[in-house]
Structure formats: C-alpha cells, structure tokens
Amino acid sequence: MRTNPSPPRRISFLVLGIVLLATSFGAVLARLAQGAGVPSLAVAALRLGLAAAIVTPVAWWQSRHVLQTLTGRQIMLTAGAGFFLALHFATWISSLEYTSVASSTALVTTNPVWISLAAFIFLGERTSRLT
C-alpha cells in the first residue's frame, strides 16, 4: 500500500485557516447572496457543489484505493449522509430569510444539545459529563 507524504506543517495551518474563515463567514456570505436575489436553495446547492468540487479530487488522490473497495451498503449510507447534509444546508440557509444571522447560527450550533436530548428521549442514552 502506497502512502502519500504529509504536507509541510505550514501548509496544513494555511489550509486550516482558509477553512476556518470560509466556515465563519458562511452565513454572512449566504445572506449577502440572498440580498442579491439568489434563491436560498441555489445558495445551498452552490455551497455544497463548490465543497464537493474541492474535496473530491483530493479524496480521490489520497484514498483512491479505499474508495474503490467500498461496498454497495457503504455507498448507500454515504449517499444518505449526503442527502441529510444537503437537507441541513437547505433548511439552514433558508432560515436566514426569516431571522438574523446571529440567531440562525446560534440555533444551528445548539445541534449537540438537541442530539443529546433526542438520544435520551428516544434511546435512553445518558450524555457524559464531558459532552
């Protein structure tokens, strides 16, 4: 099995910084696009499409051998996860039409709270103190 050499540390930090900035300004940029008349679903589709266009070649280059060995079930689970990610972005970006960026972002980032509550109610799981 061939392993790719890891990139220099400064490149990793540069990429991390770009990703952090892009994520931090995502809601603001989505609101600006809405203000320019771009429909919310188009903003969500463009955001996911751009991410896929960037990530897919890198994933293929780094993990082609793993991707080629995925089973049908794994592919279906991955497609399901992609569907729910698309649904998340479609609803979240649409929410920016009805509330402020701050309120929308605050609600989206409370996701761990809602997951913990749902896990307790539906599965009887207790959340750890660390969580």
Side-chain angles (χ1 to χ4, degrees), residues 1-27:
M1 180 168 70
R2 181 179 76 111
T3 59
N4 295 323
S6 61
R9 196 171 178 157
R10 66 181 175 275
I11 293 175
S12 297
F13 281 114
L14 176 66
V15 170
L16 180 62
I18 292 168
V19 169
L20 182 61
L21 284 172
T23 303
S24 298
F25 285 98

Side-chain angles (χ1 to χ4, degrees), residues 58-89:
V58 174
W60 186 253
W61 177 65
Q62 293 226 332
S63 303
R64 179 180 319 151
H65 58 283
V66 174
L67 295 172
Q68 290 172 332
T69 62
L70 291 177
T71 65
R73 182 175 188 276
Q74 291 170 323
I75 292 170
M76 291 303 292
L77 288 170
T78 302
F83 170 79
F84 284 108
L85 180 63
L87 184 64
H88 156 74
F89 277 114

Side-chain angles (χ1 to χ4, degrees), residues 2 7 9 40 51-52 54 56-57 60 76 93 98 110 112-113 130:
R2 181 179 76 111
R9 196 171 178 157
S40 296
I54 293 169
T56 300
W60 186 253
M76 291 303 292
I93 291 175
Y98 304 103
T110 60
V113 174
L130 178 62

